[in-house]
Amino acid sequence: MKTFVIDPDKCTGCRDCEMVCSLYHEKVVNPSRSRITIIRDPLDGIELPIICMQCDEPVCVLVCPVNAIYENEHGAKIIDYTKCMGCRTCVISCPIGGALIDPVSGKTIKCDLCDGEPRCVKFCSTKAIEYLDVSIANQRIKRNTIERYLRALKSGRV
Amino acid sequence: MVLNRKVAFIDLSKGKVVTRDIPLELRKKHLGGRGLNWYYIYNNVSPDVKPFDPENLFVVGAGLLTGMPMLGTGRTQISTKSPMTNGVGDANMGGAFGPEMRYSGFDHLVIRGRAEKPVYLFLSDGEVEIRDAKHLWGLDTHETQRAIKEEIGDERVESMVIGKAGEKRVYFANVMNGNKNAGGRGGTGAVMGSKNLKAIACRGLIDLEVSDPEKFMEYALQMNEQVLSTKWAKTLSRLGTPLLYDVSYTTGFIGTKNWQYNTPGSEGEPLEAENLQKYMIKHVACMGCSVHCRHRVKIDRGKYAGVVAEGPEYTMMGSFGTLVGCYDWDFVIKGNDECNKWGIDNLSLGAVISWAFELYQREILTEKDVGFRLQWGDQDAVLELARMIVNREGIGDILANGFIEASKKFGEGSEYYAIHVKGHPDLHTDERGVPSFALGIATSTRGADHLRSRPAIDLFQLPEDFLEKLIGYKIKSDFTAYETKGILVWWFELYFNIVDSLGVCKFQSTFNCPHCPQYDEYIPLLKYTTGMKFSKEELMQIGERNYTMERMFNILNGMGKKDDYPPARFFEEANPRGLPFMKGRKLDREKYEEMLAEYYRQHGWNDDGIPTDETLSKLEIGMPEKNFPEVE
Amino acid sequence: MAEKFQARCLNCRNRFEVEKGNEIAECHHCGSKWRISWVTPEQPKVQGPA
């Protein structure tokens, strides 16, 4: 079983992930149509990646009135567009903002893990987003935390 | 399609906009970005137009590859007739403006006229709206961007704005996007201010279609990996451009106390690049960049505690560092942040301030002229003089008009101490020890500058067979040589023009590292994105055409061979300090002449540096023909 | 034996070897002595004169 590990401290705000996500899914470069979103404000110093975490007990699956969301062999929760009626219930109920609306096509969209090889991860040069086996992921999250602490310690900020 | 972005012709006097397709023919001849910007200016700005006249054009362009997930393509080109040089005024800006402008449907904005009252432009999905900016006038560059975002109600809005310096038409005012992305050089911000144009904002949802998404994705990743595998990119990723300081101050080619010395020596140790790390919060990047050469920093304690900023770059380490005898990262960070908010080119500002300090040392300026003393290393004096320039107060009002006008005012041989070419201040690099660098700043179309041709790899003394393969000519490995360096500078002028016309970041080009992607890699990138096929020779020909067009603009505006020389000081005074091979070096006038002649020959220009008729016809460059459409 | 990595000498501009983690190193071509900083644990660079 794999999961995303996201470390906002490593996100530079370059948005290669957004550009390549739209390129993979829509065959065009258009960050506004990406499944991954970087909440970014260079003036306030914010770069925060937001993406569907493929929950164990996904709210989107529970609330979908037409059962359009299923799980594929990679554990991705996929929207079946032959069923989806675009009611946005999943968009409204997802507590982490993982489901969104494509502003061009109007379709409800979400991360589908690119057939098990998320392109955002491939293009992320700083490893702000990784896709790892959960046992490794646990170690990575702990390491990221401790590195953050050590950095703060070294800078004299704690 | 990548190629279906439009050009908007905007007349601010009339408040009217006309949009047009960009003919494929123009793409084939100029690509985009810097190349196309100068196509529009060359044809429409005649020599009688002064920089602040409404008839001057202010042109914004996205590179042909801007807004793609590779090679730092977040670039925007801003071009105009410069108030400092009365010739080419041209700046290349990082950040995220160019990409968002493309998504909003535009590759080029050609702006003329002057709005009656302050306005800003909002580009959105193929439309241009001229909006009232009365409430934005007087705000700094950060406040302005925040206010625009709030007004439009979309946090993905990107804007390029001017600050106080641009409003006051300080000749070296710039244009800013984000925290620190600067369209720094040439005085573009002053021209924007003269048009009563406070900002250009954009937001777009228009797909950038690429001709072969699969192949492009694969190749883009390969390009990023090629860059990241170099030692250069690894160093840049960690230290940013301050890495250059370690080399320049150790070797001895960093202007110090104006350009009296070529290094501060051990006094400069506190500014070593590694010492910036302790201020760092995180690394940040421009759009489309996998290298992330900038720091987000915070000053925790001391006089400037609480400053949170991006950068600073190497430029600022001269401006508020060695040039004025200050060796304190706190001050460099603080000064950098102020410059970014004022919207002023920190490089030019630093050169002008350090010049004033040397004039004070030489008693050409006195305490009475300035209002206070200008003593090397006095941080408060530096900051106060900067503030006076930005606000055009007292002597600041004279300095704000740049070297040429100010030195006429001051007289007494003051111009000799002003380190500039064509009226455009030089980076604090000291070029007198490196002939190829000296030729590069002298022939640069926008006046003294390190980003128009600098063959930084000349310093590596690369093997000559390697250089021959890279450049296509026999080039001497010895960086102190003059022979063949005219060809080297020529090659880099063409190459950097292509880099700017594509919208690729120079730090991911062959600028500082011969292993970064260049022509051979741009060919497939262009094919997979635009579907257009180019050969290396064709791309070089475009570079030559674009460069010659800029040269012709300068020639028509009265420039010539007389303006192709580095500052006189570099011929007169030898380096007093530095490593043994650098100490005692200065430029040799006779050898410089030969290098310049070789350079002219290589371009196909005559002995006076004027492109020959044969060259112009080969490049299909005619006399200017006005083509700004009717906007009634 | 300690691992060695290459840095470029600012004086003679040849590459010279630096032992892993060392903060001072001497160029074996020209004898210049440098303070070294580490870009990565495998990439030393000259920071300034020793």
Side-chain angles (χ1 to χ4, degrees):
Chain A
M1 194 166 65
K2 288 179 133 186
T3 184
F4 283 124
V5 175
I6 293 170
D7 184 356
D9 276 3
K10 291 182 186 153
C11 177
T12 65
C14 78
R15 293 188 278 163
D16 273 1
C17 55
E18 290 184 353
M19 288 186 272
V20 78
C21 180
S22 61
L23 196 51
Y24 179 80
H25 292 100
E26 311 295 344
K27 311 297 168 207
V28 297
V29 181
N30 191 341
S32 299
R33 306 183 70 185
S34 166
R35 277 76 178 148
I36 182 169
T37 307
I38 306 299
I39 304 289
R40 173 179 166 274
D41 186 338
L43 297 174
D44 286 335
I46 299 167
E47 293 86 16
L48 189 62
I50 305 282
I51 192 169
C52 166
M53 294 298 285
Q54 317 294 347
C55 304
D56 267 354
E57 290 183 36
V59 178
C60 56
V61 173
L62 290 174
V63 299
C64 181
V66 290
N67 293 321
I69 304 176
Y70 65 94
E71 182 173 319
N72 76 1
E73 71 270 30
H74 303 291
K77 312 304 179 288
I78 307 281
I79 298 173
D80 177 351
Y81 288 108
T82 62
K83 291 184 183 167
C84 176
M85 56 184 193
C87 70
R88 326 293 190 207
T89 311
C90 55
V91 180
I92 296 162
S93 31
C94 176
I96 59 171
L100 26 105
I101 306 163
D102 180 328
V104 174
S105 70
K107 281 185 178 173
T108 300
I109 54 171
K110 66 177 291 304
C111 169
D112 61 2
L113 295 176
C114 303
D115 246 342
E117 269 188 85
R119 294 306 193 275
C120 52
V121 172
K122 274 194 157 179
F123 271 73
C124 184
S125 69
T126 62
K127 300 197 165 137
I129 179 163
E130 294 183 278
Y131 185 58
L132 302 168
D133 273 321
V134 286
S135 66
I136 307 287
N138 283 332
Q139 299 167 38
R140 186 59 50 88
I141 290 163
K142 290 192 175 84
R143 176 170 279 277
N144 285 346
T145 309
I146 205 76
E147 278 177 358
R148 206 169 293 138
Y149 174 71
L150 289 174
R151 261 204 313 277
L153 203 63
K154 215 175 143 191
S155 71
R157 292 204 176 104
V158 288
Chain B
M1 267 280 284
V2 173
L3 294 171
N4 70 2
R5 307 291 116 165
K6 296 190 189 298
V7 48
F9 294 92
I10 301 161
D11 190 316
L12 291 173
S13 302
K14 294 179 178 153
K16 293 266 167 61
V17 181
V18 176
T19 60
R20 291 270 191 275
D21 291 329
I22 299 172
L24 192 62
E25 253 339 277
L26 283 182
R27 293 293 196 186
K28 286 182 184 161
K29 283 178 84 172
H30 303 282
L31 296 176
R34 180 173 153 194
L36 262 183
N37 274 11
W38 281 97
Y39 163 79
Y40 292 117
I41 296 179
Y42 175 75
N43 281 299
N44 291 291
V45 178
S46 46
D48 56 311
V49 174
K50 296 189 189 72
F52 294 148
D53 285 350
E55 291 75 26
N56 190 10
L57 293 189
F58 181 84
V59 182
V60 183
L64 196 43
L65 297 178
T66 289
M68 308 268 187
M70 83 293 157
L71 299 184
T73 52
R75 317 291 308 178
T76 313
Q77 194 82 24
I78 303 147
S79 315
T80 192
K81 183 167 180 177
S82 166
M84 272 181 285
T85 69
N86 274 306
V88 168
D90 199 39
N92 184 280
M93 176 174 78
F97 181 86
E100 200 61 44
M101 182 168 85
R102 296 200 99 182
Y103 307 141
S104 76
F106 297 97
D107 265 2
H108 290 268
L109 310 174
V110 183
I111 302 167
R112 83 169 177 205
R114 175 183 298 141
E116 223 167 281
K117 288 175 187 154
V119 294
Y120 79 94
L121 301 175
F122 179 50
L123 325 173
S124 169
D125 297 338
E127 301 290 329
V128 180
E129 193 187 332
I130 303 175
R131 292 185 167 206
D132 178 36
K134 216 165 54 209
H135 57 301
L136 302 175
W137 205 257
L139 298 185
D140 75 29
T141 63
H142 290 183
E143 290 163 348
T144 305
Q145 292 179 74
R146 282 201 174 95
I148 289 173
K149 258 186 202 178
E150 196 164 317
E151 187 167 305
I152 293 168
D154 187 333
E155 61 183 53
R156 292 210 155 207
V157 166
E158 289 292 335
S159 41
M160 48 173 267
V161 309
I162 56 168
K164 183 66 98 183
E167 292 177 8
K168 294 269 184 187
R169 302 186 193 179
V170 174
Y171 282 16
F172 34 96
N174 71 11
V175 174
M176 300 290 301
N177 163 250
N179 190 304
K180 70 158 283 264
N181 310 295
R185 309 237 64 202
T188 55
V191 174
M192 202 168 151
S194 77
K195 299 197 170 305
N196 270 330
L197 180 59
K198 177 68 178 173
I200 305 173
C202 55
R203 172 72 178 120
L205 298 172
I206 301 180
D207 291 336
L208 209 51
E209 287 169 43
V210 296
S211 64
D212 192 336
E214 281 304 316
K215 280 199 175 127
F216 170 59
M217 238 186 311
E218 199 179 306
Y219 200 69
L221 187 61
Q222 190 186 321
M223 287 301 92
N224 289 346
E225 285 168 354
Q226 181 179 338
V227 171
L228 291 171
S229 70
T230 64
K231 285 189 170 186
W232 157 254
K234 288 190 177 116
T235 314
L236 194 62
S237 292
R238 177 176 167 78
L239 300 172
T241 53
L243 76 93
L244 302 166
Y245 180 84
D246 294 358
V247 186
S248 65
Y249 109 98
T250 305
T251 309
F253 56 94
I254 185 164
T256 303
K257 296 189 179 169
N258 206 23
W259 275 258
Q260 298 186 78
Y261 306 99
N262 54 319
T263 170
S266 59
E267 227 188 321
E269 213 177 290
L271 283 183
E272 284 173 1
E274 198 61 34
N275 297 333
L276 180 62
Q277 297 302 97
K278 67 170 184 283
Y279 296 90
M280 191 174 73
I281 300 171
K282 74 190 286 195
H283 281 116
V284 280
C286 295
M287 197 158 174
C289 170
S290 53
V291 176
H292 60 74
C293 72
R294 61 183 54 183
H295 301 70
R296 177 172 295 137
V297 292
K298 178 166 185 241
I299 303 178
D300 279 322
R301 38 185 92 78
K303 193 171 171 182
Y304 309 119
V307 173
V308 180
E310 271 182 33
E313 304 284 340
Y314 179 59
T315 51
M316 200 60 191
M317 302 178 72
S319 295
F320 279 38
T322 59
L323 284 180
V324 286
C326 297
Y327 310 105
D328 176 4
W329 268 119
D330 280 22
F331 184 59
V332 174
I333 293 168
K334 166 71 179 171
N336 187 53
D337 193 40
E338 290 297 330
C339 288
N340 290 340
K341 289 177 182 162
W342 285 328
I344 195 159
D345 175 24
N346 62 28
L347 189 167
S348 302
L349 178 69
V352 168
I353 289 177
S354 72
W355 176 58
F357 271 62
E358 187 171 355
L359 297 186
Y360 183 90
Q361 176 195 313
R362 296 182 185 279
E363 296 174 3
I364 297 172
L365 290 180
T366 64
E367 194 174 342
K368 208 174 132 233
D369 298 322
V370 183
F372 47 94
R373 292 191 289 178
L374 299 180
Q375 278 171 332
W376 301 113
D378 183 346
Q379 298 184 358
D380 293 342
V382 174
L383 209 50
E384 178 57 13
L385 191 57
R387 199 194 57 76
M388 285 166 67
I389 291 171
V390 170
N391 290 285
R392 284 188 172 276
E393 287 171 15
I395 196 169
D397 193 30
I398 300 171
L399 294 169
N401 288 350
F403 281 139
I404 292 183
E405 289 186 28
S407 55
K408 275 184 197 146
K409 270 246 155 63
F410 297 152
E412 298 182 60
S414 56
E415 207 205 329
Y416 175 78
Y417 306 106
I419 302 304
H420 72 92
V421 176
K422 302 179 174 73
H424 200 239
D426 192 16
L427 175 70
H428 59 286
T429 333
D430 191 320
E431 286 87 1
R432 77 191 100 180
V434 189
S436 65
F437 287 19
L439 181 67
I441 63 160
T443 58
S444 151
T445 49
R446 71 176 173 190
D449 194 80
H450 55 291
L451 291 169
R452 304 300 263 195
S453 69
R454 176 154 300 174
I457 58 167
D458 199 17
L459 283 182
F460 302 164
Q461 312 251 54
L462 297 164
E464 291 186 356
D465 52 348
F466 180 89
L467 282 172
E468 188 172 355
K469 222 174 128 203
L470 185 72
I471 307 295
Y473 289 83
K474 284 197 189 305
I475 303 292
K476 284 206 170 334
S477 172
D478 176 9
F479 80 89
T480 65
Y482 291 74
E483 306 79 36
T484 70
K485 298 305 162 86
I487 298 172
L488 188 64
V489 167
W490 161 83
W491 190 88
F492 272 95
E493 282 179 344
L494 269 47
Y495 175 61
F496 282 3
N497 186 286
I498 294 301
V499 169
D500 286 340
S501 299
L502 293 178
V504 170
C505 178
K506 275 185 200 110
F507 288 142
Q508 303 194 39
S509 77
T510 308
F511 178 17
N512 290 282
C513 171
H515 307 297
C516 280
Q518 51 128 325
Y519 292 112
D520 290 341
E521 285 84 359
Y522 299 157
I523 292 165
L525 272 177
L526 281 164
K527 191 169 127 209
Y528 300 150
T529 51
T530 67
M532 290 162 87
K533 287 184 189 141
F534 293 96
S535 66
K536 180 177 172 178
E537 291 67 31
E538 284 166 334
L539 287 177
M540 288 184 78
Q541 173 94 340
I542 294 171
E544 185 79 88
R545 176 179 300 119
N546 289 344
Y547 202 86
T548 305
M549 206 161 227
E550 291 177 13
R551 176 79 182 179
M552 281 302 291
F553 183 78
N554 279 346
I555 300 275
L556 293 173
N557 279 284
M559 288 187 211
K561 188 178 180 192
K562 64 180 176 16
D563 304 292
D564 289 340
Y565 291 87
R569 196 169 204 169
F570 291 180
F571 291 101
E572 301 300 326
E573 298 172 33
N575 279 332
R577 296 175 178 169
L579 292 176
F581 69 87
M582 202 50 109
K583 197 173 169 176
R585 292 191 57 75
K586 62 174 179 176
L587 292 174
D588 181 303
R589 207 168 272 277
E590 207 172 302
K591 287 183 181 164
Y592 182 85
E593 291 290 350
E594 283 167 23
M595 178 167 65
L596 186 61
E598 180 186 58
Y599 162 87
Y600 287 163
R601 275 197 302 276
Q602 190 64 26
H603 267 299
W605 303 346
N606 71 16
D607 295 345
D608 295 320
I610 297 168
T612 63
D613 290 345
E614 195 193 337
T615 299
L616 291 176
S617 86
K618 191 182 77 191
L619 297 171
E620 299 169 80
I621 299 174
M623 280 297 115
E625 276 177 49
K626 286 203 171 21
N627 55 18
F628 193 105
E630 286 296 318
V631 290
E632 291 311 323
Chain C
M1 241 187 59
E3 272 184 282
K4 286 182 176 173
F5 299 97
Q6 288 194 329
R8 195 182 281 277
C9 175
L10 292 185
N11 186 46
C12 68
R13 275 140 295 137
N14 289 306
R15 293 194 184 277
F16 66 101
E17 295 200 318
V18 187
E19 270 190 27
K20 188 169 185 164
N22 276 7
E23 288 179 3
I24 303 272
E26 189 176 310
C27 169
H28 67 269
H29 303 280
C30 70
S32 300
K33 256 189 150 179
W34 303 114
R35 275 179 299 117
I36 301 294
S37 62
W38 292 81
V39 172
T40 70
E42 290 83 37
Q43 194 182 320
K45 95 175 235 316
V46 169
Q47 180 173 346

